[in-house]
Amino acid sequence: SAILFSCPTLCSNLGSKAFSCSAPRLWNSLPLHIHQLDSITQFKSQIKTYLFKLAWFINYVICFIPLYFFII
């Protein structure tokens, strides 16, 4: 099972950017298979792959999808 963390309850608008609030939120948003990795080497590799895919997908949606609709 995955270990999920909770954000402190005193996260105001400004405090939500603090490490103590953003780190648990980021950890909880990761896919389950990354949570369950046993070695730091595997974790580094999988987190890098996940973040590159996420960045590529966001870039694809922002850049290429509007062009597709503009051309048609």
Side-chain angles (χ1 to χ4, degrees):
S1 73
I3 298 173
L4 298 179
F5 295 100
S6 61
C7 182
T9 57
L10 298 175
C11 286
S12 64
N13 190 18
L14 181 60
S16 67
K17 297 176 183 172
F19 182 80
S20 60
C21 289
S22 59
R25 192 177 323 112
L26 176 62
W27 176 259
N28 292 341
S29 70
L30 293 175
L32 186 59
H33 74 275
I34 294 177
H35 285 263
Q36 296 174 336
L37 293 171
D38 293 331
S39 76
I40 191 72
T41 306
Q42 289 178 333
F43 177 79
K44 287 179 180 181
S45 174
Q46 290 295 315
I47 195 78
K48 186 171 113 178
T49 302
Y50 172 73
L51 292 175
F52 274 123
K53 285 180 180 179
L54 184 64
W56 183 87
F57 177 75
I58 290 171
N59 189 31
Y60 177 79
V61 169
I62 291 172
C63 294
F64 296 115
I65 301 267
L67 289 175
Y68 175 76
F69 289 111
F70 182 72
I71 293 171
I72 292 179

